[in-house]
């Protein structure tokens, strides 16, 4: 069955300009004086960006790596906030194979005092003493008929994957592996996935590896290779889901509008912008919508393990029955929505084409800011699995990205309240334009007359 609500939206001419346009920042002081048309004020007047900011303050105290106690703490916080607003909240658990890097690595070779080895993701622990042997590129052909039992294979990078090199050496009997770079710089790679055949493996730079190889060629060189504290295995991450049923059951329309963000971060990054900003915005929107009647179901979701490959949103979408997926009118994703140091706001759809989410958002940004937020093509976040399931979705992000992206500097002091408020207003009013009581559907959501940005500016000054 087709989604009539979407085709209606297109038929109703919701399309607004997708031409890039600069959005000027609105001073907070000006915000409260601005009159918002119709239903918008219900959302705009209730948003309090101090709440959003305080959620980011709490969440960005530590990195929130999926599968760690820090993620669990964030999940508990999000759940408690949703429940404090009165929402029925569900925690959806899912598992994935994760890896904790080693706490200690060591490589000792007589005559080489200053080796600086690195580790590979998915390498196993070990403490090996063995003779070093040259093993070329570590291909099956090169190792055919060789007995490396108990030895440490010295292998050059190139031709096949790191994981294949380790498996080939291990199958020839090697107790350990060293892979050295074939280009300048350190080598810090991944074996790709967990594998029972792996033996401990460390990396060296090109210069270190070549110097070692020149000595090993002559024979009789032994090494001690140590890896401690690495741990590959099953981990648990979580999605947190708060549901607001349609207020008036008699008028309820058979649809749900979803808003979401990811609560996890990359290791070492407090993720104030990526994506405590989105998570905090979801919480503040949930608080605002709690007391606003809607004829459409609303769902607020924070996803886990986005940084590991959109795992939480993929899991969520995979659990939907066909009927449940069909019920979802659209998904609004907020990922990196508050950086002072990033560029202007943009709306990303996976294929770059407008859909009901981008159209409603462009219409609301035009009402609020005088110009529609530009629509661009872009994936890399939790709107992708929804798109792949045929559910209209879009992601909000400021581009270009701030220099602190995925670094320890992604902290609260880099957050702009103006930017946070702008996105929450756009998403909140877009959602409400569709969900508000007695809305007969997207047909009634008209693209407002194009207001020039200076009109609103003049109005504010008066
Ligand atoms: N928030 C980012 C996505 C992003 C960053 C989009 C910069 C556009 C510009 C997200 O959390 C992320 O880092 N995603 C991963 C991809 C994912 C599939 C692991 C990325 O982009 O590397
Ligand atoms: Zn992100």
């Amino acid at each position: 069955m087709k989604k009539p609500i979407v085709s209606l939206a297109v038929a109703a001419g919701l399309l607004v300009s997708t031409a890039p346009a600069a959005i000027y920042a609105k001073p907070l002081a000006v915000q409260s004086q601005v009159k918002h048309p119709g239903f918008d004020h219900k959302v705009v007047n209730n948003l309090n960006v101090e709440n959003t900011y305080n959620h980011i303050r709490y969440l960005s105290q530590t990195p929130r790596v999926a599968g760690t106690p820090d993620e669990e703490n964030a999940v508990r916080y999000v759940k408690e906030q949703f429940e404090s607003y009165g929402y029925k909240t569900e925690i959806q658990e899912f598992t994935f194979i994760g890896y904790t890097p080693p706490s200690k690595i060591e490589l000792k070779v007589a005559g080489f005092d200053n080796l600086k080895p690195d580790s590979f993701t998915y390498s196993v622990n070990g403490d090996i003493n063995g003779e070093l042997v040259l093993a070329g590129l570590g291909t099956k052909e090169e190792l055919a008929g060789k007995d490396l039992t108990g030895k440490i294979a010295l292998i050059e990078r190139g031709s096949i994957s790191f994981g294949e090199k380790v498996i080939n050496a291990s199958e020839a009997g090697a107790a350990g592996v060293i892979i050295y770079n074939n280009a300048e710089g350190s080598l810090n790679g991944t074996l790709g996935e967990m594998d029972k055949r792996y033996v401990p493996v460390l990396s060296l730079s090109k210069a270190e590896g070549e110097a070692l190889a020149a000595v090993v060629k002559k024979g009789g060189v032994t090494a001690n290779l140590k890896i401690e504290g690495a741990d590959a295995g099953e981990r648990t991450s979580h999605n947190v889901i708060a549901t607001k049923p349609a207020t008036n059951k008699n008028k309820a329309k058979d649809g749900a509008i979803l808003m979401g963000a990811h609560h996890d971060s990359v290791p070492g990054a407090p993720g104030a912008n990526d994506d405590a900003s989105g998570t905090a915005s979801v919480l503040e929107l949930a608080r605002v919508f709690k007391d606003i009647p809607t004829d459409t179901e609303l769902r607020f979701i924070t996803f886990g393990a986005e940084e590991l490959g959109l795992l939480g949103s993929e899991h969520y979408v995979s659990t939907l029955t066909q009927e449940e997926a069909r019920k979802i009118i659209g998904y609004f994703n907020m990922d990196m929505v508050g950086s002072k140091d990033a560029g202007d706001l943009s709306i990303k759809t996976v294929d770059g084409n407008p859909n009901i989410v981008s159209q409603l958002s462009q219409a609301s940004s035009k009402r609020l800011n005088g110009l529609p937020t530009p629509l661009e093509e872009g994936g890399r976040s939790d709107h992708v699995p929804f798109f792949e399931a045929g559910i209209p979705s879009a992601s909000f992000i400021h581009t270009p990205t701030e220099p602190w992206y995925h670094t320890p500097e992604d902290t609260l002091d880099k957050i702009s309240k103006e930017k946070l408020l702008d996105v929450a207003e756009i998403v909140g009013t877009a959602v409400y334009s569709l969900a508000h009581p007695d809305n007969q559907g997207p047909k009634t959501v008209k693209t407002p007359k194009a207001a020039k940005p200076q009109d609103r500016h003049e109005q504010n000054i008066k």
Side-chain angles (χ1 to χ4, degrees), residues 290-368:
K290 181 64 189 79
D291 298 320
I292 301 182
T294 55
D295 278 355
T296 308
E297 178 186 325
L298 302 184
R299 246 174 268 166
F300 305 89
I301 314 182
T302 73
F303 294 108
E306 187 269 357
E307 300 287 6
L308 299 174
L310 318 179
L311 301 186
S313 48
E314 266 173 13
H315 178 76
Y316 178 77
V317 170
S318 77
T319 62
L320 298 169
T321 62
Q322 234 182 23
E323 201 181 323
E324 285 167 338
R326 229 180 256 142
K327 185 178 164 181
I328 301 174
I329 298 165
Y331 171 62
F332 293 73
N333 188 56
M334 286 163 275
D335 190 358
M336 301 171 72
V337 291
S339 174
K340 278 179 185 167
D341 308 301
D344 288 334
L345 185 63
S346 64
I347 303 170
K348 308 273 190 195
T349 59
V350 176
D351 55 9
N353 292 329
N355 59 41
I356 191 161
V357 175
S358 70
Q359 290 164 344
L360 289 171
S361 304
Q362 287 199 308
S364 62
S365 55
K366 199 164 179 177
R367 287 194 304 277
L368 296 167

Side-chain angles (χ1 to χ4, degrees), residues 43-61:
V43 172
V44 171
N45 293 354
N46 285 319
L47 281 167
N48 182 347
V49 75
E50 295 303 326
N51 293 333
T52 320
Y53 195 76
N54 287 334
H55 294 316
I56 300 176
R57 187 199 308 281
Y58 180 84
L59 290 165
S60 64
Q61 292 175 103

Side-chain angles (χ1 to χ4, degrees), residues 393-430:
S393 67
S395 192
F396 291 77
I397 186 168
H398 296 100
T399 44
T401 310
E402 64 278 14
W404 329 118
Y405 167 57
H406 283 185
T407 75
E409 276 71 57
D410 181 5
T411 45
L412 183 70
D413 54 305
K414 320 284 195 324
I415 294 295
S416 150
K417 291 179 187 173
E418 279 80 7
K419 279 182 169 162
L420 288 173
L421 188 57
D422 183 51
V423 176
E425 285 184 355
I426 292 170
V427 172
T429 56

Side-chain angles (χ1 to χ4, degrees), residues 59-217:
L59 290 165
S60 64
Q61 292 175 103
T62 60
R64 301 172 300 282
V65 178
T68 67
D70 287 329
E71 189 216 357
E72 280 178 25
N73 190 50
V75 164
R76 194 179 318 120
Y77 179 81
V78 170
K79 180 172 185 273
E80 280 171 10
Q81 297 302 311
F82 280 147
E83 285 176 346
S84 77
Y85 312 140
Y87 286 102
K88 190 171 157 273
T89 305
E90 180 202 344
I91 292 190
Q92 186 181 51
E93 277 189 10
F94 58 95
T95 58
F96 64 95
I97 300 299
Y99 183 73
T100 308
S103 49
K104 182 176 174 185
I105 58 171
E106 212 171 78
L107 183 60
K108 286 188 190 147
V109 184
F112 290 82
D113 285 346
N114 221 357
L115 292 175
K116 293 201 168 54
D118 230 319
S119 59
F120 289 89
T121 304
Y122 296 117
S123 172
V124 293
N125 293 320
D127 184 359
I128 297 139
N129 285 297
E131 187 190 342
L132 280 167
V133 286
L134 294 183
L137 289 164
T139 60
K140 269 201 160 57
E141 296 71 35
E142 280 169 298
L143 297 179
K146 278 201 176 153
D147 182 10
L148 303 185
T149 305
K151 298 184 174 160
I152 298 174
L154 182 59
I155 300 176
E156 188 183 357
R157 181 185 187 181
S159 169
I160 55 171
S161 71
F162 300 131
E164 286 171 301
K165 288 173 196 273
V166 176
I167 290 168
N168 292 344
S170 153
E171 287 185 335
V177 172
I178 299 169
I179 300 175
Y180 64 95
N181 211 343
N182 59 1
E184 295 313 314
S186 61
L187 177 54
N188 180 355
T190 174
L191 304 181
E193 58 185 340
M194 218 167 92
D195 195 298
K196 286 202 170 67
R197 293 167 292 179
Y198 290 157
V199 291
V201 51
L202 289 177
S203 71
L204 288 176
S205 69
K206 183 171 189 272
E208 289 172 324
E210 285 176 352
L212 195 57
V215 179
V216 169
K217 210 173 174 179

